[in-house]
Amino acid sequence: MNDWFHRQGGRDRFVDWLRLDSQINSALGEAWSRVKDYWNAGSSYFARFQLVGWRRLLNEFASEGLTMLFGGLVVLYGLALPAFEEFDESKFLTGRYAVKFLDVNGNEIGKRGILHNDAVPLEEIPDVLIKATLSTEDRRFFEHYGIDVFGTMRALVTNVQANEVVQGGSTLTQQLAKNLFLSSERSLQRKIKELFLSFLLESRYSKREILKLYFDRAYMGGGTFGVEAASQYYFGKSVRDITMPEAAVLAGLFKAPTKYSPLVDLAASRARTNQVLDNMVEAGYYTAGQVHAARMNPAKIVEARTSTSPDWFLDWAYEEVQRLADGKNQFVLTARTTVDLTLQRQAEEALNAALRKEGRDLHFTSGAIVLMETDGKVRAIVGGPDYGESQFNRATHAKRQPGSSFKVYVYATAMENGFTPETMVRDASRSCGNWSPSNYGGGGGSGSRLPLWMALAKSLNTVAAELSFVVGREKVVEMTKRLGVEGVKKTCSMALGDGGITVLEHTGGVATFANGGKLAKPYGILDITTSKGDLLYSRERDEPPPRQVLSRHVAEEMNVMLNRVVTEGTGGMANLDFTNVAGKTGTSTGPKDAWFMGFTGKYVAGVWIGNDDNRPMRSGVTGGHQAAPIWHDLMTVAHTDMNIPTIPGLTPHPRQVMEQQRLAEIRAQQVAAGIEPAQSAADAAKTPAIMPSKTRDALKVLVAALRKANGQAEPAPAPSSGSSHSPPTTPIDPKEAPQPAIRPGAAKPERRATLFDTSRDDLSIPAMPAGAMPGTSSTNPRTRP
């Protein structure tokens, strides 16, 4: 080739392309030859092991079996992992604390923890109780490894033949796993968790230890846990001393302690007891003749009393005590709580009435209620429809989607960032990824302009979503944390309540608006004392004053809008005719959850209804139509007088104005009649007395009538000028009341019992025979006149 590049030797100077090509071809050829040689050699070697006929078929089955076994192990691991995450060693340490709970007035209302004198060793539990329990709940307990396959099949066949559930297939280990770690929701996921937790319990504990835990931790009705506490409650004696009919009663309670409680339904309890006695004969533990005497002489139940134990509240309060007492090395404690037993009963009745009335038709079987005062003082907790059937506290532990009730946090964030109730917004919103908001009933918004308060009242999803985008979803998350709601995550649809929160923390968050913007962290413990009487914890002493986490101006503007939700929006069925109401409805997709979060000037309450297994309710169920009426019914009976504070930002309700005028007129009449001295500005600023005003008014009228009947002159009114020696406003003990001086030679005055501080109310009652006038307690602020 005659060219400049070839003449200069450039082609050979850089790369010898011909040599490189030959080397590559040679290497590839040799490699391919070696691969074929190895392949042929391997094929020849493995040809010796070639299987034919039945051997090949068996080999194929074995190979497929190993493959499926490996895949099954992967699936089992995936199914077992959630169950193992539920396993918590601390659940076995609940006996570490022995706590007695008192109400505000110091009356005992219940106990929690395995008390030291209640932990009866298994060796001392009567043999008849063990046999009654095993024959009824798990006859093959000492033979299976947590799951009784034969027992489950037998129960299935029996139930099919009877066309109803007459036998359960759960072993004692499964029941213990459910009691310790799981809720009672009827779902496949829960049963799978229960199965793996049963295997785990069997691997960690002996049969005797599992049986002992079962006897100690089972709920037995009436607020009692464990067979010893139940024996004391129903029979007034230790479980060590029970007879066969008494053992049969206790063994029958494990299945449904409320349904079969002899204090609730004696007939059902007797029928269940006879069934347990039959099981003892069928299992071969006793003969028919041996149990005949037990049938003819049924157990005698101690005094026919009904349980007033606020079990849902006490379960939560017990957790609070453990948190407050952690690290202080004190385990036998007494805690004074904030619960109001009357409100607790009313809340339970309100929920159960709704379940009975609409639950079956609208396909919801569960619910929860939290009632507190505006500062976070919890007065009642309802964690489900039946504590005896399931002790899982849905009010404090179930995280459910709040739906549109979450919008209160979105709108509060907007108010902090320049919006006002009259700010004009559009019924439309941008998309977020592949998600676009739509209003209830469908549609992405009409595009019309409307004030912000109306958007909240109508619960428009488009406006709430757009607000979260405009102000920033990070700020909404920060707002929820500031108000005490944890676990909210930043998502496209977070403004519509797509995350899970509990009823308790949601109610506490809403209470922040009710009190003018101060943090309302829910609390239920006032003080804790040790077994020696030492004060371990006092809320007044150990807790800082509540912080102002939201400006009062924002709280007041939010209250104005939330009030219009009730008067002009979706929450109309919660409106009360005697006081102002502010609140927000909420309904999640499905609908699977229905909420109403609302408050008056005195109480804040959150109501949730739904299903434990997350099944959707009937189409058309909403928070405004199902949850709000429950809230309305509860608040109607919870307010016992019309002297209700005004919600910050709202004008007083006409009924409150009338009540204040009535009280002012009564006082003016009393001042004019000399019954009560004129009140100075300093006295007006003092803390009011504990006794309700209506009770005080009635007593004053009664005292005046007694004075008149006794021929005693009315005392002159006290000077109106302020005095530095103003008396206290609270009642004083009669023995400590100042007595008038007696002049020498004068007749001794008649002994009188002073009900009020004489310098303030100037009231006294002449001594009367015992029983002449009913006593009136001045310690209960909810006493009716």
Side-chain angles (χ1 to χ4, degrees), residues 81-407:
L81 191 60
F84 294 157
E85 290 176 349
E86 298 280 355
F87 189 82
D88 183 4
E89 288 282 1
S90 65
K91 297 288 187 178
F92 299 98
L93 301 177
T94 54
R96 186 182 182 190
Y97 290 93
V99 184
K100 179 170 67 174
F101 290 98
L102 311 175
D103 63 11
V104 177
N105 299 319
N107 303 311
E108 182 176 340
I109 56 175
K111 298 178 180 179
R112 285 296 183 269
I114 305 301
L115 303 182
H116 298 290
N117 59 349
D118 285 349
V120 178
L122 187 63
E123 295 78 11
E124 299 181 22
I125 294 178
D127 185 63
V128 64
L129 177 59
I130 296 176
K131 290 179 178 178
T133 302
L134 295 181
S135 64
T136 304
E137 299 296 331
D138 190 357
R139 297 182 187 179
R140 292 168 44 84
F141 174 69
F142 288 99
E143 301 173 21
H144 61 70
Y145 196 75
I147 303 296
D148 185 5
V149 178
F150 296 106
T152 302
M153 296 301 297
R154 182 181 65 250
L156 181 62
V157 171
T158 303
N159 293 337
V160 170
Q161 292 175 344
N163 198 28
E164 62 177 341
V165 179
V166 295
Q167 284 189 13
S170 297
T171 64
L172 287 185
T173 312
Q174 288 177 274
Q175 294 179 44
L176 179 62
K178 186 188 77 170
N179 292 339
L180 289 177
F181 308 112
L182 303 173
S183 69
S184 64
E185 64 173 304
R186 297 180 179 179
S187 65
L188 179 62
Q189 182 182 15
R190 200 267 294 172
K191 293 297 292 184
I192 293 174
K193 287 182 180 180
E194 183 181 289
L195 183 146
F196 284 105
L197 286 171
S198 300
F199 288 147
L200 188 57
L201 287 174
E202 292 279 351
S203 66
R204 299 285 293 272
Y205 301 94
S206 66
K207 288 289 187 179
R208 292 177 61 83
E209 290 173 327
I210 292 174
L211 186 59
K212 178 64 168 59
L213 285 170
Y214 184 80
F215 280 140
D216 282 345
R217 303 302 172 85
Y219 179 68
M220 306 292 284
T224 61
F225 287 84
V227 292
E228 171 65 11
S231 179
Q232 297 284 358
Y233 180 72
Y234 292 109
F235 312 124
K237 58 183 176 181
S238 172
V239 71
R240 300 175 178 89
D241 306 321
I242 60 174
T243 62
M244 180 181 288
E246 293 167 345
V249 172
L250 294 181
L253 292 172
F254 290 114
K255 181 178 180 180
T258 300
K259 180 179 179 181
Y260 297 122
S261 170
L263 298 178
V264 175
D265 191 338
L266 184 59
S269 176
R270 292 281 173 84
R272 178 66 174 168
T273 300
N274 288 329
Q275 184 180 357
V276 172
L277 294 173
D278 290 339
N279 293 337
M280 295 167 69
V281 175
E282 291 177 7
Y285 292 130
Y286 296 96
T287 64
Q290 289 175 309
V291 302
H292 178 72
R295 296 184 193 276
M296 301 304 296
N297 299 281
K300 294 182 179 179
I301 310 301
V302 295
E303 58 186 29
R305 55 189 173 184
T306 57
S307 171
T308 57
S309 176
D311 294 313
W312 299 114
F313 180 92
L314 292 184
D315 285 351
W316 171 68
Y318 183 55
E319 297 174 0
E320 290 294 291
V321 168
Q322 294 180 79
R323 178 180 63 84
L324 295 170
D326 185 36
K328 297 183 179 179
N329 297 322
Q330 294 291 333
F331 307 106
V332 181
L333 306 170
T334 299
R336 194 163 61 97
T337 67
T338 61
V339 69
D340 185 312
L341 297 181
T342 301
L343 291 176
Q344 178 71 34
R345 185 186 70 254
Q346 291 169 343
E348 293 174 1
E349 291 175 352
L351 176 61
N352 287 318
L355 291 173
R356 289 191 300 267
K357 180 180 179 181
E358 297 183 310
R360 181 185 296 271
D361 294 337
L362 300 181
H363 306 163
F364 62 88
T365 60
S366 190
I369 296 175
V370 172
L371 176 66
M372 64 176 62
E373 294 185 8
T374 57
D375 67 339
K377 180 188 294 183
V378 178
R379 308 297 270 166
I381 291 180
V382 182
D386 187 346
Y387 188 83
E389 181 179 344
S390 167
Q391 294 86 57
F392 177 66
N393 199 327
R394 297 150 187 85
T396 60
H397 290 98
K399 289 185 174 292
R400 307 292 301 214
Q401 291 186 353
S404 292
S405 66
F406 184 82
K407 293 175 183 176

Side-chain angles (χ1 to χ4, degrees), residues 698-708 755-756 763-765:
L699 285 174
K700 290 174 182 176
V701 173
L702 180 60
V703 168
L706 289 172
R707 277 209 184 99
K708 185 176 181 180
L755 291 182
F756 299 94
L763 297 176
S764 57
I765 295 181

